[in-house]
Amino acid sequence: MFNVLAIFTSICTPILFAHIIDSFSLSHSFSLSRSWFLTLLAVYVGIWSLSKIFIYLREIIMFPVMERAIRLLTFHLFQHIQLLPFQYHLKRKTGEISSIIETAIQSFPPIVWSLAFALCPLIVESICVFGIVTFICGISYACILAVCLALFVIATRRGFIKALRSLRQANLSHLTTSSKIVDSFLNFSSTKYFHTYNFEFQKIDQALESREIKIKDSLIKDQMIRVYQALILSFSFLLLMIFTGYNLISNKLSLGEFIMIHTYMLQFTLPLEGFGQTFQMLNQSFVKMERVLKIFKNPLETKKGTIVLNKNQPLHIIFENVWFGHQKDVPILKGISFELLPNQTLAIVGETGSGKSTIISLLLGFLKPWKGNIFINGYDLKDIDQESLINLIGIVPQDVTLFNDTISHNILYANTSASKKMLVDALDIASLKETIQKLPQGLETIVGERGAQLSGGEKQRIGLARAIIRQPKLYVFDEATSSLDLRTEKQIIKNIENIAHKASTLIIAHRLSTVAFADRIILLENGLIKNKSYDSLVREMNVSVS
């Protein structure tokens, strides 16, 4: 409503001002009352003021709507990225994703503001001005305005077509540079360990140089469009003013009508100039939003299993002739088959790259086997609701990643409804009590980004506590003791033994000494499983039991 009122009052002010000028001229010839003239002035100023107030009021009303829209867009983008398949997250670049989210927050408001309060009002106002000038001044003015409009649209369209490629390249260069900067910060430890500051500085400077060249090229091409627009508008304005001035001298127009036409010419050319700037802003924002739309085009996992596992039932897992590889025609697992019975401890050992961790990703449903089947409690994994499965699993990954928050937050993240006793028990089993007692802030100690303020052993113990507090039906330990000292490792292995009988347990390890207590040990070698006795595995892998 305020948008309509703002347009209406803006169109009315030139007409009213023309009447004021003509009334002033008549006041000398026919002794028009001063009170009437002053009243017209007051009404003119009032309408002009209202036009400004309506603009501010429409923006005040729009602010809450805009912020809610930004919130919803950002949330749905974040939600969509989180729900994308596991393999997407293996390939994504954190810096680029972060930059895309920031771009969405920055680019969405200009699109809405431009469409709602710039482009649509400009079109309506231009049409009204065109009609009024044509009605009052005749077909000659209409022809000049029509030619001006046609030339303006043609020049703008051709200019933006040429600038579009540069704009996309500039946007891509900006995202690439942001990605490299964030990646460098995430790997700060490597830079410090190898003192490769100059290499990092050179790498980032090269990226910034490429960004500078491409953005400079894009900005110059964008600005040249404005130069073409200004030349067309200036020439059109000159023709109209000469034509109008001639009619004024020839007494075909009154002074008020001359001023009115002059004002409308400004209101016609300024909206056109504004239209060019708005179109340019829209173009830039849409190009930036292309990356956001591209993310939304990535399909989510559409198939959702219908079978919900019983949360009180132990898990019975069967891998049956499972084949898988990350790259086509390069299998990592070559028809592996094994069985993990309820409340049994199964250990899988093998060299790095043999596919041990891949088995975990397949079990969790993050990856899909090329062929073969995975059964859990007699149900095909494809038919099982993934959430109901993951809720029954407590996993300690090889690389424990932590939030930049407190220790208690990171542990309770796996079970936000856990009691204080459950937290204390988890700390005890994970051998964390002594470590936490040494910290001034205890459980409220901030661990830093990705747990940077903790040692590798401390991070893995937090990961272990996080799995324990979940009270799962299946424990999965992926090299859970690889970063621990020998004393702590032995203590945690003993604790794992104590909890392993309460649930099914799958242990991934390099050293046989860490899984000697397992009910069954299998060797994974070149994507194939070799079932051998513990003694023969020791001899083959040349590992002595500590």
Side-chain angles (χ1 to χ4, degrees):
M1 181 181 71
F2 286 117
N3 216 4
V4 175
L5 291 173
I7 294 172
F8 177 75
T9 51
S10 178
I11 292 172
C12 287
T13 48
I15 298 175
L16 188 57
F17 191 69
H19 281 295
I20 290 172
I21 298 298
D22 288 339
S23 297
F24 181 78
S25 300
L26 288 172
S27 64
H28 291 281
S29 303
F30 302 101
S31 301
L32 191 70
S33 66
R34 293 182 179 179
S35 59
W36 174 246
F37 177 74
L38 294 175
T39 301
L40 286 177
L41 280 176
V43 172
Y44 168 75
V45 173
I47 292 177
W48 179 86
S49 301
L50 284 175
S51 68
K52 302 299 180 185
I53 292 172
F54 289 146
I55 291 173
Y56 298 141
L57 287 175
R58 74 183 182 184
E59 292 180 358
I60 290 173
I61 292 173
M62 192 63 182
F63 284 143
V65 178
M66 176 62 68
E67 291 306 314
R68 176 58 61 88
I70 293 172
R71 169 191 165 188
L72 292 175
L73 173 65
T74 308
F75 173 76
H76 286 300
L77 178 59
F78 170 79
Q79 184 183 54
H80 189 86
I81 293 172
Q82 288 281 31
L83 294 175
L84 285 172
F86 187 73
Q87 287 181 310
Y88 174 86
H89 288 276
L90 291 177
K91 298 176 183 177
R92 69 168 169 79
K93 298 177 182 178
T94 303
E96 187 171 320
I97 292 295
S98 175
S99 182
I100 287 172
I101 293 175
E102 185 64 28
T103 297
I105 295 173
Q106 293 178 351
S107 300
F108 182 71
I111 292 175
V112 178
W113 284 108
S114 298
L115 289 174
F117 296 144
L119 192 58
C120 292
L122 282 172
I123 292 173
V124 173
E125 192 171 335
S126 297
I127 292 172
C128 291
V129 170
F130 186 83
I132 292 171
V133 170
T134 302
F135 177 76
I136 295 175
C137 305
I139 196 67
S140 301
Y141 287 88
C143 291
I144 296 174
L145 291 176
V147 171
C148 168
L149 182 61
L151 290 174
F152 184 88
V153 171
I154 292 170
T156 301
R157 182 177 178 275
R158 289 186 175 179
F160 278 126
I161 289 174
K162 291 180 180 179
L164 190 60
R165 184 178 178 183
S166 296
L167 190 57
R168 285 198 174 100
Q169 289 178 345
N171 187 46
L172 178 61
S173 180
H174 174 74
L175 291 175
T176 302
T177 303
S178 299
S179 176
K180 288 183 178 181
I181 290 173
V182 173
D183 189 55
S184 183
F185 285 139
L186 290 175
N187 292 280
F188 74 93
S189 57
S190 298
T191 305
K192 294 189 178 296
Y193 291 154
F194 301 105
H195 208 271
T196 52
Y197 295 109
N198 289 333
F199 177 78
E200 282 298 304
F201 297 156
Q202 185 179 7
K203 181 178 70 175
I204 298 302
D205 187 53
Q206 286 175 351
L208 288 170
E209 182 183 13
S210 176
R211 176 188 178 276
E212 175 192 358
I213 292 171
K214 291 178 181 177
I215 290 185
K216 179 178 66 176
D217 181 58
S218 174
L219 290 174
I220 290 173
K221 287 182 178 178
D222 278 346
Q223 202 65 23
M224 285 306 298
I225 297 172
R226 296 189 182 186
V227 172
Y228 301 145
Q229 292 171 343
L231 288 173
I232 292 170
L233 292 176
S234 299
F235 181 71
S236 303
F237 190 62
L238 175 63
L239 284 179
L240 285 166
M241 284 298 96
I242 291 174
F243 190 62
T244 307
Y246 176 78
N247 287 334
L248 176 66
I249 295 172
S250 303
N251 293 321
K252 293 180 179 179
L253 291 176
S254 66
L255 180 60
E257 287 174 332
F258 173 81
I259 294 174
M260 179 187 69
I261 292 172
H262 175 270
T263 306
Y264 273 132
M265 289 307 101
L266 290 177
Q267 281 193 240
F268 183 77
T269 55
L270 289 177
L272 279 182
E273 186 178 351
F275 175 81
Q277 295 174 358
T278 301
F279 190 76
Q280 185 178 22
M281 184 187 299
L282 277 172
N283 197 51
Q284 292 173 345
S285 298
F286 276 126
V287 169
K288 289 180 180 179
M289 288 291 286
E290 282 178 354
R291 287 274 171 178
V292 178
L293 298 175
K294 188 176 180 180
I295 287 181
F296 278 118
K297 288 180 180 179
N298 282 293
L300 301 177
E301 304 250 20
T302 54
K303 190 177 186 310
K304 183 177 176 64
T306 56
I307 296 172
V308 178
L309 295 174
N310 186 343
K311 63 181 180 179
N312 298 315
Q313 185 179 356
L315 295 186
H316 180 194
I317 299 166
I318 298 174
F319 272 60
E320 186 180 85
N321 192 34
V322 173
W323 287 74
F324 177 79
H326 291 291
Q327 297 179 10
K328 189 177 180 181
D329 300 327
V330 184
I332 297 174
L333 302 177
K334 305 170 184 177
I336 66 168
S337 299
F338 65 85
E339 182 177 13
L340 174 58
L341 298 173
N343 299 327
Q344 183 189 55
T345 298
L346 172 67
I348 302 177
V349 295
E351 296 179 351
T352 300
S354 59
K356 303 185 301 298
S357 297
T358 302
I359 290 175
I360 297 174
S361 297
L362 288 167
L363 175 62
L364 294 171
F366 296 153
L367 302 175
K368 307 299 180 186
W370 289 355
K371 59 180 179 179
N373 297 292
I374 302 172
F375 297 99
I376 299 178
N377 289 353
Y379 301 110
D380 195 313
L381 181 60
K382 295 189 293 290
D383 300 324
I384 295 174
D385 177 70
Q386 189 182 42
E387 184 179 359
S388 73
L389 171 63
I390 291 178
N391 285 338
L392 299 178
I393 298 176
I395 182 169
V396 184
Q398 187 173 3
D399 180 21
V400 177
T401 56
L402 303 176
F403 293 96
N404 189 9
D405 211 308
T406 63
I407 293 175
S408 61
H409 170 85
N410 279 284
I411 295 174
L412 292 170
Y413 188 78
N415 186 358
T416 54
S417 61
S419 63
K420 186 175 181 179
K421 182 180 183 304
M422 291 168 63
L423 177 60
V424 172
D425 290 342
L427 295 174
D428 189 36
I429 296 172
S431 300
L432 266 172
K433 277 188 174 180
E434 186 178 342
T435 301
I436 290 173
Q437 287 172 357
K438 294 178 181 178
L439 299 172
Q441 294 177 301
L443 283 170
E444 298 307 306
T445 300
I446 302 294
V447 303
E449 190 172 32
R450 296 176 65 86
Q453 297 183 30
L454 302 176
S455 68
E458 288 170 338
K459 286 197 291 184
Q460 279 200 311
R461 276 181 279 175
I462 289 176
L464 178 59
R466 191 160 59 182
I468 292 167
I469 205 170
R470 198 168 176 82
Q471 295 187 333
K473 294 300 177 183
L474 170 66
Y475 284 104
V476 177
F477 300 102
D478 186 3
E479 295 293 342
T481 61
S482 61
S483 299
L484 303 178
D485 59 85
L486 187 60
R487 175 178 169 274
T488 306
E489 180 186 42
K490 287 183 176 180
Q491 183 180 2
I492 288 184
I493 288 174
K494 184 178 179 181
N495 291 337
I496 290 175
E497 286 185 64
N498 293 333
I499 64 173
H501 70 277
K502 299 178 182 179
S504 303
T505 306
L506 177 63
I507 303 176
I508 303 295
H510 287 113
R511 299 192 302 272
L512 282 169
S513 58
T514 61
V515 296
F517 65 92
D519 298 314
R520 185 182 168 208
I521 302 173
I522 58 178
L523 173 64
L524 190 62
E525 189 176 274
N526 295 323
L528 298 170
I529 285 181
K530 296 184 177 181
N531 291 287
K532 297 185 178 182
S533 66
Y534 180 76
D535 292 336
S536 63
L537 285 172
V538 170
R539 288 193 300 270
E540 185 169 326
M541 298 182 70
N542 195 24
V543 179
S544 59
V545 180
S546 56

